[in-house]
Amino acid sequence: MSDDFELDTDDLSRRMDGAMANLRTEFASLRTGRASASMLEPVMVDAYGSMTPINQVGTVNVPEPRMVTINVWDKGLVGKVEKAIRESGLGINPQLNGTIIMLPIPELNEERRRELGKVAGGYAENARVAVRNVRRDGMDQIKKAKNDGMSEDDQKLWEAEVQEMTDAYIKKVDEALETKQEEIMQI
């Protein structure tokens, strides 16, 4: 009967958490003028016939605030790793020292900071859309249950709960964006 309807709020929450985790990963890949090993996560190297993340072909370290080093394990891959970094669009010029690739992180100019702020805003909007899609799925489940005989009061109660959860996650996205934009604009 309709009284047995139980919306899986844990599933909705887990999926919204997934959108937040994806946003954090995208934010970590943005270069803010400070060295970070996570900024190399999107870079893939053509190693042994397949595209491989950099952290699987060498050790990534941050010895100084403006320097990232990669100690490549296989000497034959040094050139490929260097090429992958140059072509990644990160705007970093790798310097070779044997099997160690040094990546000096240059200062960001004002124009580049504004561009990165816009990119961060785009990532945040994608996260908001993902959260709203999860909300829509939850609302669709409630509508289906309503058509199966759920009372209007129960429908309103569940819809309010889903909306409250959505608002909380949208607020988290906005806070993460604000923090990232402050970090980007910091000199």
Side-chain angles (χ1 to χ4, degrees), residues 9-170:
T9 53
D10 288 343
D11 178 57
L12 296 179
S13 180
R14 182 184 50 75
R15 290 170 55 198
M16 288 182 186
D17 280 337
M20 284 300 299
N22 189 44
L23 177 66
R24 280 189 216 89
T25 302
E26 288 176 326
F27 277 176
S29 71
L30 285 179
R31 190 162 64 86
T32 60
R34 271 200 296 301
S36 161
S38 61
M39 63 196 278
L40 296 174
E41 283 179 6
V43 181
M44 301 296 264
V45 180
D46 183 12
Y48 313 115
S50 66
M51 296 309 281
T52 311
I54 278 190
N55 63 3
Q56 291 183 12
V57 296
T59 307
V60 180
N61 291 312
V62 183
E64 302 170 24
R66 294 210 173 276
M67 176 74 70
V68 176
T69 61
I70 305 161
N71 188 357
V72 183
W73 300 319
D74 182 351
K75 287 180 182 175
L77 292 177
V78 173
K80 289 183 177 184
V81 172
E82 180 188 20
K83 181 181 179 199
I85 293 167
R86 284 189 198 281
E87 295 175 351
S88 68
L90 288 174
I92 301 174
N93 193 18
Q95 299 170 352
L96 289 177
N97 183 1
T99 59
I100 296 176
I101 299 174
M102 296 181 294
L103 306 172
I105 309 299
E107 278 283 341
L108 294 175
N109 61 22
E110 186 69 21
E111 183 182 337
R112 182 70 177 138
R113 288 178 192 279
R114 292 194 193 291
E115 283 175 29
L116 287 174
K118 288 178 185 173
V119 171
Y123 288 161
E125 185 54 35
N126 291 342
R128 286 187 206 101
V129 168
V131 167
R132 288 187 202 116
N133 285 341
V134 174
R135 174 191 174 273
R136 187 192 62 231
D137 291 347
M139 293 298 195
D140 288 348
Q141 289 175 31
I142 294 167
K143 279 190 185 124
K144 186 178 181 303
K146 169 86 168 88
N147 293 338
D148 292 343
M150 176 197 286
S151 72
E152 206 165 303
D153 288 345
D154 285 348
Q155 177 191 7
K156 289 197 185 319
L157 183 103
W158 284 111
E159 285 177 350
E161 186 170 336
V162 169
Q163 186 60 49
E164 191 177 298
M165 186 185 302
T166 303
D167 292 344
Y169 277 92
I170 295 288

